[in-house]
Amino acid sequence: MDRRFVLFLALSLAFLMVNNAIWNRLNPPKPAAQNAAKQVAEKKPEIENGSDKKDVAKVQEADKKADAEPPAEKSLEVAANQAEENEPELQWFTLGSVDPSDQNPYRGLWTITNRGAAVERMELASERYRDLDDRTGYLGNLALSDTAEGPRVSVVGPGTPAAAAGLQAGDIIQSIDGEAVQDAKALVKELLGKTVPGQSIEVGVLRAGQPQKLTAQLSRHPLEVIRPEVLEMGANIPTRLDVVEPGDHDPYSFLLTLRQIDDKKLKGDELETELPGVKLRASHWTGKQVDPDTVEFTRPLPQYGLEVVKRYHIAKHAPNQPAYHVTLDVELRNVGQTPREVAYQLDGPTGLPVEGWWYNSRPSPNGTFFPTANGVRNVAALLQSNAPAVFTPMQIESEEVVPLTENPSLLTYAGVDAQYFASAVLPNPQVDRPFWLAEISPILVGRLPADSRYKLLGDVTCRLVSMKKTLAPGGDPLKHTYTVFAGPKQPELLAQYGTHGDNLGKLIYYGWPIWAFFARLLTAVLHEFYRFVGNYGVAIVMLTVCVRACMFPLSRKQALAAQKMQELKPEMDKINEKYKGKAEEKTRAMQELWRKHNYNPMSGCMMAFVQLPIFLGLYRALMVDVELRQAPLLGEAIHWCSNLAAPDMLLDWSGFMPKFVTAYRGFGSLGPYLNILPLITVALFIWQQKMFMPPATDDQTRMQQKMMKYMMVLMAFMFYTVPSGLCIYFIASSLWGIAERKVLPKTIGGASPKATGGGSAISKLLGKSTPTNGASVAEARRERRKQRGGK
């Protein structure tokens, strides 16, 4: 009996344990709900007393939210939160150098953070690519963080003035030239407000508890092709962030997350969300410097039995080898016990340069070059054997753009295209690679300015989505390799990224084929002149002389035709008087007179028609050719006209001119600078018109000449923000035209010929002193014999 009772108790206890295990398996606990219930129980005395009602409401809300969440997703989030609590500290790594010397084998400095295993910055090393807007001294991007003693240095990039001065990661900066600095923002303010390139400063640091003095010679800011960016509220002007505070800027570049795990999928419109339990975009990965050229990051997802790896490797410069890139390996491993079906999404570069956005009017692939039709930065994607697809910020915001899902694995590149620089992701290898892409999407990052005038400033990037793949436990990982380009848009350089005919070179476009032909021709001639003289301003003058010399026969004919117009003016006045009020008869008589003297009134327009493609070709060349960017007229030490691809910017008048005049965009706005070269250009146009325009022959001509004067005033507004190199071309062309007209012979005797004459010097120069209108050649010969007999 006792044994049966004991056996009964044992079987009952076992049954209860098994039943409880099965119940817990089928109904996992709700941590948030249990926590909320515990908080309610703890607050029960206060609730009964009627106090702390706000906390009660929060607890109840948390309880409802916990009940609404699927138990599996909540447990995944709990596991992810636990993993996040144990994640590494925030770190920075560098690849490459910004040393501008020829001994530097790298073309730039890449700063990479373990927050999202993302690229924070890419700075170009060459002195040809400096920041055009920031003329203050550059110490280096130090990833500063505040401590009680002062701002702490987190990273020092090779080739920076900070590295040359001996500054190290972990140093705490306490003073600059004896002036104490309390925090990171104060340090940046001290550098931006009181320093210039070439200046030496004394940096007081605290290293391992010991104060030290370091001397740094500041340089000019290198151009950041990739950077964290924020739009200042109110001003809507993009700025560089020297103090990076996570979450206070647009997302970093090349962020990655999982798009699918088994039956869990992200939707296409979920830009910055992640799957439950997956925190890859903002979490701190485990990073290590494998070698001086390689950085590797890993992030485990234990709740799924997965491990994610990102690896960056920088290229070195070698003959005939491009070096403006890093290779990015993306690797997914199944380290668990269950097969997983996975896919990932990789975002592209962000924060490309917006320099010149207030005067920028670069052409777009469809041929237009109006600012409203183009963004400062556009998303560009090229599928093999097709023209690149280009998406502006305004198009992306309108949600009219759909992802590219037709043959996305044929992708040559996808990235962001700015005026003179670009950054793109190229699947590697370029040929004979397995298909692994399922979708390519252009996306907006950060916030788009509310003011429609500034929407073209939107920060954009691309998103690559991989095909799904099943990973077996301990089996082969999913591994894809990308080439990440970031650099200048030089045709020879871009042609090295991609396959023959399908490469980054298609990011350079001039618009319609006729403009592209002249732009490429003039660019090639300019470069040849530059190799000879070493100054693009002088090269543009030489180009002008070359163009005007080739056009001399046309301009000579135009000048002589204008003088012949003056000779015929008395006869035209008689016709106007004779046929006053009889428009048709007057027109026929004028045409008969012009035919008799072989005069074409449209011949004066020939020069304008011939010069139009040259003018637009040069305009497009200045807007596209990166070699003309930062090319000074007189020297880099002189700020005026230090960039021939931009207005000359003689004086910043934003402090005393009305705001509607100095506005960056909008009707009547001229920008924040007084530009003198456009005014000189228009003044020469008016002088040339006044000197050489023939006198009006009737009211209609008089009205046309008045309209031309008003057009000159309008041209002053239209030309006000054109590149200074284009103004130099027009100034040189106008001076050539004035000199040309001064040296050409004038009418002999200063008198007009008779209607039946035609023996003037102008007629002889034109080589046609006889009328050819069927009035009888013999009559003309008799007239010439009569003139010779008179002599």
Side-chain angles (χ1 to χ4, degrees), residues 183-204:
D183 53 27
K185 290 184 177 179
L187 172 59
V188 171
K189 186 177 180 181
E190 187 76 16
L191 291 174
L192 294 179
K194 300 181 180 179
T195 62
V196 295
Q199 177 181 344
S200 293
I201 61 171
E202 185 182 72
V203 184

Side-chain angles (χ1 to χ4, degrees), residues 299-326:
R299 177 72 178 176
L301 300 175
Q303 60 274 34
Y304 292 107
L306 297 173
E307 185 177 62
V308 187
V309 179
K310 290 174 73 177
R311 189 179 301 106
Y312 296 91
H313 178 81
I314 191 170
K316 288 184 177 180
H317 176 67
N320 300 321
Q321 292 293 326
Y324 285 91
H325 69 274
V326 297

Side-chain angles (χ1 to χ4, degrees), residues 237-256:
I237 301 173
T239 60
R240 189 187 69 253
L241 287 178
D242 294 275
V243 181
V244 178
E245 298 178 2
D248 192 32
H249 54 80
D250 291 350
Y252 287 139
S253 298
F254 311 110
L255 290 171
L256 176 139

Side-chain angles (χ1 to χ4, degrees), residues 178 221 392 489 542 677:
H221 280 270
T392 68
K489 291 167 60 175
M542 294 173 68
L677 289 182

Side-chain angles (χ1 to χ4, degrees), residues 258 260-262 301 304-309 330-344 466-480:
L258 296 183
Q260 177 179 351
I261 302 178
D262 298 335
L301 300 175
Y304 292 107
L306 297 173
E307 185 177 62
V308 187
V309 179
V330 175
E331 195 170 333
L332 302 181
R333 303 169 181 166
N334 188 340
V335 295
Q337 304 298 321
T338 306
R340 295 290 186 185
E341 190 176 50
V342 298
Y344 67 85
S466 73
M467 294 179 176
K468 59 185 178 182
K469 180 179 179 180
T470 301
L471 300 180
D476 292 336
L478 182 155
K479 183 177 180 181
H480 296 154

